[in-house]
Amino acid sequence: MADVASPGKVQMRDLNAARAAYAEGDIEASKTAHGVKTHNEDHSKVGGHIKCIVFGGMDGIITTFAVVAGANGGGLGTAAILIMGFSNVFADALSMGVGEALSTKSENEYILLEKKREEWELENNPEGEIEEMVDLYVEKGMARDDAQLCIEKMAKYPKFFVNIMMVEELELQVPDEDENPWIEGAYMFGSFVFFGTIPLLAYVIFASMGMTQEVLFAIACCITGVALFGLGVGKSRVTKQTWWRCGLEVLCLGG
């Protein structure tokens, strides 16, 4: 259970060392990492928000470029493109950010409601809940005697047992008490704004140089491609995958 502990709490292993050992295939280093009895977790929190960053960034780049391409194809001038582009960025970013926060909040509220129901059922019908979990573990391939022993041991700790039931029975992960869905929304909003403004940079930086709309649009296409590749490279830093593979993946999908 060391992986799910909150940052700053006592760990049963050095998670960063364990990850490095896994990446290098070093079994001895892995054993050493797991031998650490206490460890203050200091890994980056960005990994927990990578979904919102990639989702917001990809959506920001694509939707803004679509506005730029449509406006350019319609023969609109630079001023119109910038007005439409920035209006789209901030309106969509706000919508995406609030939508992410509200959807996460709704999901968490549903999970906590189900948790209360499980707690009530365990309190009023512990035998039934234990038997239900035993049957579930047997279905997963465990011998009934072993499943009975395992579940009865866990049932001695109601709070822990309820969390196990939520995952195993309902396939729902109970959110942390300090989890704030508005943080997810803020990451979504920030990522959308940051990446969504990139396709507009060609018109912001080069429009005053007297370039034609065709040249400005070509520059916008190049900048957008670089932004997509850069988003993939940034993702690789968190997922520990090959940087150029991730960059090409996002570039091709976005393209």
XYZ file of all heavy atoms in Angstrom, residues 61 64-69 72 81-82 195 197-204 206 211-228:
286
model
N -4.750 23.172 -28.518
C -4.031 23.324 -29.788
C -4.962 23.093 -30.976
O -5.018 23.893 -31.918
C -2.846 22.343 -29.851
C -1.795 22.705 -28.800
C -2.213 22.367 -31.239
C -0.695 21.674 -28.662
N -8.064 25.703 -31.330
C -7.616 27.040 -31.732
C -7.107 27.032 -33.163
O -7.378 27.956 -33.943
C -6.505 27.541 -30.797
O -6.968 27.513 -29.453
C -6.107 28.967 -31.147
N -6.365 25.988 -33.531
C -5.887 25.911 -34.912
C -7.059 25.784 -35.886
O -7.005 26.314 -37.000
C -4.939 24.719 -35.087
C -4.404 24.602 -36.477
C -3.404 25.452 -36.926
C -4.916 23.654 -37.356
C -2.925 25.358 -38.223
C -4.440 23.553 -38.649
C -3.435 24.401 -39.093
N -8.107 25.080 -35.471
C -9.288 24.962 -36.329
C -9.910 26.335 -36.582
O -10.355 26.638 -37.706
C -10.314 24.028 -35.695
N -9.943 27.174 -35.556
C -10.468 28.533 -35.719
C -9.580 29.333 -36.666
O -10.063 30.028 -37.577
C -10.559 29.241 -34.351
C -10.884 30.717 -34.533
C -11.607 28.575 -33.481
N -8.255 29.211 -36.476
C -7.312 29.923 -37.340
C -7.463 29.466 -38.787
O -7.515 30.284 -39.714
C -5.867 29.690 -36.850
C -4.861 30.240 -37.868
C -5.649 30.345 -35.495
N -7.542 28.149 -38.990
C -7.658 27.619 -40.343
C -8.971 28.046 -40.994
O -9.003 28.425 -42.178
C -7.558 26.092 -40.310
N -8.829 31.791 -41.770
C -7.928 32.050 -42.896
C -8.566 31.607 -44.202
O -8.475 32.298 -45.221
C -6.606 31.309 -42.672
C -5.588 31.576 -43.759
O -4.961 32.632 -43.801
N -5.407 30.622 -44.650
N -8.868 37.154 -37.003
C -8.335 35.863 -36.581
C -7.922 35.897 -35.115
O -8.216 34.967 -34.345
C -7.142 35.452 -37.471
C -7.622 35.145 -38.887
C -6.415 34.243 -36.878
C -6.501 34.856 -39.870
N -7.263 36.966 -34.706
C -6.816 37.078 -33.315
C -7.997 37.208 -32.357
O -8.014 36.601 -31.283
C -5.870 38.272 -33.158
C -4.494 38.123 -33.805
C -3.697 39.410 -33.677
C -3.738 36.956 -33.179
N -1.349 26.083 -24.203
C -1.153 25.466 -25.512
C -2.088 26.049 -26.567
O -1.744 26.089 -27.751
C -1.350 23.952 -25.417
C -0.222 23.244 -24.729
C -0.329 22.884 -23.398
C 0.949 22.944 -25.406
C 0.715 22.227 -22.750
C 1.992 22.294 -24.773
C 1.878 21.938 -23.441
N -2.971 29.099 -27.050
C -2.517 30.372 -27.624
C -1.389 30.185 -28.637
O -1.103 31.106 -29.418
C -2.028 31.315 -26.513
O -0.991 30.671 -25.765
C -3.160 31.706 -25.581
N -0.745 29.021 -28.653
C 0.421 28.816 -29.524
C 0.095 28.976 -31.006
O 0.851 29.643 -31.737
C 1.068 27.444 -29.231
C 1.681 27.457 -27.822
C 2.119 27.099 -30.273
C 2.293 26.147 -27.387
N -1.015 28.396 -31.529
C -1.307 28.593 -32.959
C -1.528 30.058 -33.340
O -1.463 30.397 -34.535
C -2.591 27.773 -33.173
C -2.551 26.722 -32.109
C -1.952 27.412 -30.930
N -1.765 30.926 -32.360
C -2.001 32.339 -32.646
C -0.715 33.153 -32.666
O -0.732 34.324 -33.070
C -2.958 32.931 -31.603
C -4.350 32.308 -31.512
C -5.095 32.854 -30.304
C -5.140 32.577 -32.790
N 0.390 32.549 -32.226
C 1.632 33.306 -32.092
C 2.133 33.846 -33.428
O 2.764 34.912 -33.477
C 2.709 32.426 -31.449
C 2.477 32.037 -29.984
C 3.633 31.189 -29.471
C 2.311 33.279 -29.119
N 1.888 33.103 -34.505
C 2.338 33.576 -35.821
C 1.728 34.930 -36.150
O 2.413 35.826 -36.685
C 1.969 32.553 -36.894
N 0.452 35.095 -35.802
C -0.235 36.356 -36.103
C 0.127 37.443 -35.103
O 0.090 38.621 -35.434
C -1.745 36.119 -36.134
C -2.167 35.170 -37.225
C -2.216 33.798 -37.009
C -2.493 35.645 -38.498
C -2.574 32.914 -38.020
C -2.857 34.768 -39.514
C -2.893 33.402 -39.270
O -3.247 32.541 -40.272
N 0.484 37.057 -33.877
C 0.872 38.032 -32.862
C 2.273 38.563 -33.138
O 2.538 39.769 -33.025
C 0.818 37.397 -31.457
C 1.388 38.356 -30.416
C -0.607 37.022 -31.097
N 4.411 37.917 -36.092
C 4.876 38.222 -37.454
C 3.931 39.093 -38.273
O 4.292 39.521 -39.371
C 5.125 36.912 -38.221
C 6.163 36.033 -37.576
C 5.783 34.897 -36.871
C 7.510 36.343 -37.665
C 6.728 34.072 -36.278
C 8.459 35.528 -37.069
C 8.083 34.399 -36.366
N 3.866 40.372 -43.680
C 3.762 39.084 -44.372
C 2.342 38.852 -44.847
O 1.383 39.338 -44.248
C 4.189 37.947 -43.447
C 5.642 38.013 -43.023
S 6.088 36.611 -41.959
C 7.826 36.939 -41.675
N 2.194 38.073 -45.900
C 0.871 37.760 -46.432
C 0.164 36.751 -45.521
O 0.799 36.081 -44.691
C 0.988 37.160 -47.844
O 1.701 35.908 -47.765
C 1.730 38.111 -48.776
N -1.144 36.646 -45.710
C -1.918 35.704 -44.908
C -1.474 34.259 -45.161
O -1.495 33.430 -44.249
C -3.412 35.855 -45.238
C -4.035 37.143 -44.745
C -4.043 37.232 -43.228
O -4.312 36.259 -42.541
N -3.740 38.422 -42.706
N -1.068 33.967 -46.393
C -0.628 32.611 -46.714
C 0.635 32.253 -45.932
O 0.775 31.134 -45.405
C -0.370 32.475 -48.224
C -1.612 32.481 -49.084
C -2.198 33.877 -49.256
O -1.512 34.866 -48.892
O -3.348 33.987 -49.725
N 1.561 33.212 -45.852
C 2.801 32.965 -45.125
C 2.525 32.848 -43.622
O 3.064 31.964 -42.943
C 3.827 34.098 -45.389
C 5.056 33.938 -44.490
C 4.243 34.103 -46.856
N 1.673 33.717 -43.109
C 1.339 33.661 -41.679
C 0.678 32.329 -41.332
O 0.969 31.742 -40.288
C 0.406 34.821 -41.322
C 1.034 36.212 -41.315
C -0.044 37.270 -41.065
C 2.115 36.313 -40.239
N -0.202 31.858 -42.216
C -0.867 30.581 -41.939
C 0.127 29.424 -41.995
O 0.043 28.478 -41.213
C -1.997 30.348 -42.951
C -2.748 29.072 -42.713
C -3.506 28.904 -41.564
C -2.697 28.033 -43.628
C -4.203 27.724 -41.331
C -3.386 26.853 -43.410
C -4.137 26.694 -42.257
N 1.081 29.488 -42.923
C 2.109 28.446 -43.004
C 2.948 28.432 -41.722
O 3.284 27.355 -41.195
C 3.003 28.691 -44.221
N 3.281 29.605 -41.212
C 4.032 29.682 -39.948
C 3.197 29.119 -38.806
O 3.705 28.396 -37.936
C 4.446 31.140 -39.655
C 5.426 31.638 -40.721
C 5.079 31.245 -38.261
C 5.779 33.108 -40.586
N 1.900 29.440 -38.809
C 1.005 28.923 -37.763
C 0.951 27.400 -37.803
O 0.930 26.740 -36.755
C -0.397 29.515 -37.928
N 0.951 26.830 -39.019
C 0.950 25.366 -39.148
C 2.215 24.772 -38.538
O 2.163 23.762 -37.817
C 0.844 24.965 -40.619
S -0.754 25.314 -41.384
N 3.363 25.382 -38.832
C 4.639 24.883 -38.299
C 4.683 24.994 -36.776
O 5.104 24.056 -36.080
C 5.796 25.665 -38.921
S 5.998 25.402 -40.697
N 4.242 26.142 -36.256
C 4.256 26.344 -34.811
C 3.329 25.344 -34.121
O 3.644 24.797 -33.062
C 3.844 27.791 -34.461
C 4.913 28.774 -34.942
C 3.631 27.943 -32.957
C 4.557 30.232 -34.710
N 2.183 25.098 -34.743
C 1.237 24.132 -34.177
C 1.836 22.735 -34.144
O 1.690 22.003 -33.153
C -0.066 24.125 -34.998
O -0.653 25.426 -34.962
C -1.056 23.120 -34.425
N 2.533 22.353 -35.205
C 3.190 21.054 -35.224
C 4.240 20.929 -34.138
O 4.344 19.894 -33.460
N 5.027 21.982 -33.949
C 6.043 21.981 -32.887
C 5.379 21.866 -31.513
O 5.871 21.165 -30.625
C 6.903 23.254 -32.975
C 7.826 23.369 -31.765
C 7.731 23.259 -34.256
N 4.250 22.563 -31.336
C 3.538 22.513 -30.056
C 3.034 21.106 -29.760
O 3.138 20.628 -28.621
C 2.371 23.498 -30.067
N 2.507 20.432 -30.768
C 2.025 19.065 -30.587
C 3.182 18.132 -30.228
O 3.070 17.305 -29.318
C 1.333 18.575 -31.857
C -0.029 19.196 -32.174
C -0.469 18.841 -33.592
C -1.079 18.742 -31.165
